[in-house]
Amino acid sequence: MANEMWGGRFAEGPAAIMQEINASISFDKRLADQDIRGSIAQAEMLSAQGIIDAQSAEAIIQGLKNVKAEIDAGSFTFKASLEDIHMNVEARLAEIVGKPAGRLHTARSRNDQVATDFRLYVRDSIDMIDAALKDLQQALAEKALTHAGTVMPGFTHLQSAQPVTFGHHLMAYVEMLSRDRGRFADARRRLNECPLGAAALAGTSFPIDRDRTAKALGFDRPTANSLDSVSDRDFALETLAAVSILAMHLSRFAEEIVIWTSAQFAFVKLSDKFTTGSSIMPQKRNPDAAELVRAKTGRIFGSLIGLLTVMKGLTLAYAKDMQEDKEQTFDALDSIALCIASTAGMVRDMEPDAKRLKKAASSGYATATDLADWLVRVLNMPFREAHHVTGRIVGIASAKGVDLEKLSLGEMQAVEPRITGAIFDVLGVTNSVKSRTSYGGTAPANVRMQAKKWLAKLAK
């Protein structure tokens, strides 16, 4: 039996395997809300333009609302034989309102219909991601404010470098997420053009009003080229690129949580809410939430590469290959939403061990740079000479197995006679972080100011 929606040209129905590979309803049914919104806008425009009569339009619109109610209630039957969400909705509409349903698809193709639905879905997802990122930024800024003065080791190459504060470290991620939100905002702005009315690829001879449908659906304007309108998936690619960069940021933080919660570091603790146990080792508390955030990054990257690969060889305009755009995009958007929520939960749940952090900050000669800076600032020594002198003093401390502040003044003066007792004012890690008052530095006063600034901004 030929497909009832497009079977005029075909005497037979598709082979079973053709039906299976061709159908997309199993995953594109999540576009139901966007599809119905687009169809209502289409019906209203067709009526306003006198292309269909007002009575048919009214019946169509009410019928579409009934279809949405059935889908929302879970009573709608999705049929693989009808391929996709568009034809499933239209077929059910025909059952409800009869002949007027056949007028809905006037001056429209599934090509511009799916492009519109998909843009609406991605736009809705960006809005949800932005709200979730705002919540994560708030969680980080609140924790940072609480721990603006909690000293911890700052690392380069995962080696102790200079003391920083836990709050300063968390605020670095607030800044990263701000850039992520900016990328999503940029992607949203570029995608906010409406393809509806481009029809299959060449536009339509009907006197439609594309500005009206664009406005009804919250778009800034209609797309300007009908070929581009139905074949463009840049909006999905750009969003997936933003999702991928965000996932990378979350993965970096997740990796730090995994390290910080290890017995060897023990910088922070996570409660039972965000850890799991072992089936054989009763002592274990595994940071599985962080590990899964880290792992899902690869899955998200794969979605971006997958869609880039689908699109790379397609001529204009639409090709069925583009049906492969949705599952990858849906999966990445689902994954990133879960990662953001999990990270926010871990941030609010984690408790840093201030004593252990401070002790770790004191090891590894983390205040060596402070010593060198003091030599430059107080003794007017060229930095390269100060670097050399400091290196010799660190060597003495290392040979004795003590921190810099445990050396005697005499031992330091043996390397540089002009050093005075004032040097000890900069060798403690607390004094070190307090001295980093340059804009963007780790001084607790800076961190408090930045955290409060962000919290005020996020509250607006």
Side-chain angles (χ1 to χ4, degrees):
M1 179 180 175
N3 188 298
E4 62 188 86
M5 303 303 287
W6 47 264
R9 171 66 178 80
F10 294 80
E12 296 182 71
I17 193 65
M18 175 59 188
Q19 182 171 300
E20 184 175 347
I21 195 173
N22 196 46
S24 59
I25 189 61
S26 63
F27 54 84
D28 71 14
K29 62 186 177 182
R30 72 162 70 190
L31 296 175
D33 180 69
Q34 289 78 15
D35 191 71
I36 290 171
R37 282 157 56 191
S39 290
I40 289 174
Q42 172 79 355
E44 290 174 341
M45 182 275 294
L46 291 174
S47 176
Q49 293 298 104
I51 298 171
I52 66 175
D53 62 273
Q55 188 175 357
S56 293
E58 186 178 343
I60 289 169
I61 293 167
Q62 186 54 53
L64 287 168
K65 290 178 180 178
N66 291 343
V67 173
K68 184 179 187 309
E70 290 179 4
I71 293 172
D72 291 345
S75 60
F76 187 93
T77 301
F78 295 99
K79 299 176 182 178
S81 61
L82 293 172
E83 295 186 16
D84 55 32
I85 186 59
H86 324 297
M87 292 170 72
N88 268 266
V89 169
E90 188 174 334
R92 179 58 183 143
L93 178 66
E95 292 174 353
I96 295 172
V97 306
K99 193 172 181 179
R103 301 186 181 279
L104 174 61
H105 211 52
T106 306
R108 183 177 74 170
S109 164
R110 277 192 295 172
N111 293 354
D112 62 334
Q113 187 177 0
V114 69
T116 302
D117 293 357
F118 199 21
R119 282 185 187 242
L120 287 170
Y121 185 89
V122 172
R123 190 180 71 186
D124 291 344
S125 297
I126 287 174
D127 291 343
M128 288 187 285
I129 288 170
D130 185 71
L133 286 178
K134 180 180 177 181
D135 178 67
L136 176 53
Q137 284 182 297
Q138 183 171 344
L140 287 163
E142 288 172 348
K143 188 73 74 171
L145 185 59
T146 301
H147 293 283
T150 301
V151 180
M152 70 173 289
F155 297 99
T156 59
H157 309 276
L158 200 56
Q159 304 294 314
S160 238
Q162 290 179 275
V164 295
T165 71
F166 191 70
H168 190 59
H169 195 108
L170 296 183
M171 288 305 297
Y173 286 98
V174 175
E175 296 294 331
M176 289 185 213
L177 297 178
S178 177
R179 296 193 296 273
D180 288 318
R181 290 180 69 188
R183 276 182 280 272
F184 283 111
D186 287 344
R188 191 191 194 283
R189 176 175 54 81
R190 271 183 286 277
L191 76 75
N192 208 34
E193 296 182 347
C194 184
L196 197 58
L201 75 160
T204 178
S205 58
F206 288 96
I208 60 173
D209 184 349
R210 293 191 64 204
D211 288 298
R212 180 188 178 102
T213 48
K215 183 178 180 181
L217 295 170
F219 290 105
D220 294 331
R221 64 190 70 84
T223 50
N225 182 284
S226 59
L227 286 166
D228 181 53
S229 300
V230 299
S231 63
D232 166 48
R233 292 298 182 269
D234 291 2
F235 64 91
L237 287 167
E238 187 172 5
T239 300
L240 288 178
V243 169
S244 295
I245 295 172
L246 166 59
M248 176 270 294
H249 286 154
L250 298 181
S251 183
R252 293 180 72 181
F253 188 47
E255 170 71 1
E256 293 193 311
I257 292 174
V258 171
I259 292 171
W260 290 349
T261 56
S262 68
Q264 289 71 26
F265 274 73
F267 283 179
V268 304
K269 291 181 180 179
L270 288 173
S271 76
D272 295 350
K273 295 178 182 178
F274 290 94
T275 55
T276 64
S278 164
S279 63
I280 191 172
M281 296 170 283
Q283 84 280 8
K284 293 294 292 296
R285 184 190 290 274
N286 301 321
D288 281 8
E291 291 171 9
L292 288 167
V293 168
R294 187 176 59 184
K296 286 183 184 294
T297 303
R299 182 169 172 169
I300 290 167
F301 290 176
S303 294
L304 172 59
I305 296 301
L307 185 52
L308 282 167
T309 306
V310 166
M311 297 300 298
K312 73 174 181 62
L314 300 187
T315 58
L316 297 180
Y318 180 83
K320 195 71 171 183
D321 309 51
M322 293 166 71
Q323 184 169 288
E324 292 297 310
D325 58 358
K326 293 170 199 64
E327 284 183 285
Q328 299 177 88
T329 303
F330 293 160
D331 187 75
L333 291 172
D334 289 346
S335 294
I336 200 65
L338 193 55
C339 289
I340 298 169
S342 298
T343 304
M346 286 188 286
V347 169
R348 291 190 168 101
D349 185 71
M350 68 169 57
E351 287 301 328
D353 186 330
K355 289 183 179 179
R356 189 172 180 94
L357 285 168
K358 186 175 182 179
K359 182 179 180 181
S362 301
S363 66
Y365 311 107
T367 57
T369 304
D370 297 275
L371 193 159
D373 287 348
W374 186 91
L375 294 174
V376 172
R377 190 172 58 252
V378 177
L379 303 185
N380 198 29
M381 187 180 290
F383 184 80
R384 286 302 169 200
E385 183 181 344
H387 188 285
H388 180 71
V389 169
T390 300
R392 290 179 61 192
I393 293 173
V394 168
I396 294 170
S398 179
K400 293 189 66 176
V402 298
D403 293 330
L404 288 174
E405 60 266 35
K406 299 299 183 182
L407 289 176
S408 69
L409 179 60
E411 287 171 314
M412 293 191 202
Q413 288 176 334
V415 177
E416 172 49 62
R418 291 179 293 164
I419 293 175
T420 70
I423 191 68
F424 293 100
D425 292 339
V426 302
L427 292 184
V429 291
T430 300
N431 289 334
S432 174
V433 296
K434 284 182 179 179
S435 72
R436 304 294 170 177
T437 56
S438 60
Y439 181 77
T442 192
N446 283 11
V447 177
R448 290 187 188 95
M449 179 182 67
Q450 288 293 333
K452 288 177 181 178
K453 177 183 174 182
W454 267 108
L455 289 170
K457 184 178 180 179
L458 293 167
K460 291 181 181 178

